[in-house]
Amino acid sequence: MMSGGGYSALDDPKASGSVPAATGPDPPTIKFADSNLQTFPPSEAKGKISGAYRPPTDADDTFSSKSGGGRGGSGAGSDDAGQGGWFRMFSVAAYKPYFDVDTSDVMERIWESVFPFRGTFTEKTSENPDLYGPFWTCTTLIFVAASIATFVTYLSHKWHNKEWNYDINLVTWSAGLFYGYVTFVPLGLYVILKYFSAPAGLVQLWCLYGYSLFIFIPASLLSIVPIEIFRWVIAGVAGFMSATFVAMNLRAHIVNSGERWFLIVAGIFLLQLGLAVLLKLYFFTITV
């Protein structure tokens, strides 16, 4: 090979012409950032449970949003639906986020239900409605109401020197009443609010109604007092507080449904009062 004048000539006779020699600084070194493509699924923390599955956004609308949009937007809902669709409803992972609460969260929400006129429960739980507190509140009420009613009946029979037999139906009727009420009443209300184009989330309604039953637990304990008028007063106060708690928290979100919003709120209020009357008549009306 011969060189001269900044050019390099090839000794091969079959090649003609010449090429310029490459001159200048060395090319920069390209460095690629570390990637986590080999880690699937990515270890992204969602809420308090790491990597927890969130159901499609249409299963839980943002309750406090006037526009009725989901928390994750339509794109997030489409991605979730593509990963498993509605079959995710039958998996435990789909409901894990709704039990992702600690003791302080549950106690704070119970405390909110004791002060019904605040009307801030839905605003505080709109981003993280839970089913843990409602489930255990309802379960506790079932056994408290059945056991207190049994104890009151026992004392009344012993007071009148009458034979007493345990009634197992108190437990079954109590479970059917409270589990059925806290499940199907919010479900029916969800359908009604959807019809009137009012923003509502089904899980949020279950959460609201579940915590609204807490006030009936101390009311059942106070019904041990063997004074009929006192029991009616306790049932009335508990029913009024529970009904006010539900109505005040729903009013702000139903008011945009049109002129019939007052009828919806009044129906919710009266239905909750009816539950208190039914509780008094069936569990704490003693006949010997």
Side-chain angles (χ1 to χ4, degrees), residues 64 74 124 146 154 166 177 182 185 189 205-206 215-216 233 255:
S64 61
S74 58
K124 293 181 178 180
Y154 171 78
Y166 175 71
L177 173 63
V182 82
V185 171
L189 181 60
L205 292 175
W206 277 332
I215 194 63
F216 292 113
V233 171
V255 70

Side-chain angles (χ1 to χ4, degrees), residues 56-138:
T57 54
D58 58 351
D60 180 29
D61 300 328
T62 302
F63 191 81
S64 61
S65 175
K66 299 300 182 183
S67 61
R71 287 193 302 267
S74 58
S78 301
D79 295 340
D80 290 338
Q83 293 177 2
W86 289 105
F87 291 102
R88 291 281 191 174
M89 294 177 58
F90 303 100
S91 64
V92 177
Y95 300 95
K96 187 184 296 183
Y98 299 123
F99 292 83
D100 183 22
V101 290
D102 51 29
T103 304
S104 61
D105 295 330
V106 175
M107 293 303 297
E108 180 182 359
R109 296 174 184 191
I110 289 176
W111 190 249
E112 283 286 331
S113 68
V114 179
F115 297 93
F117 292 99
R118 291 179 178 178
T120 58
F121 181 86
T122 54
E123 301 295 335
K124 293 181 178 180
T125 60
S126 60
E127 296 298 329
N128 185 29
D130 74 287
L131 298 178
Y132 179 86
F135 172 77
W136 285 112
T137 299
C138 190

Side-chain angles (χ1 to χ4, degrees), residues 2 7-20:
M2 297 178 294
Y7 292 88
S8 297
L10 300 177
D11 294 334
D12 190 355
K14 295 182 180 180
S16 60
S18 60
V19 295

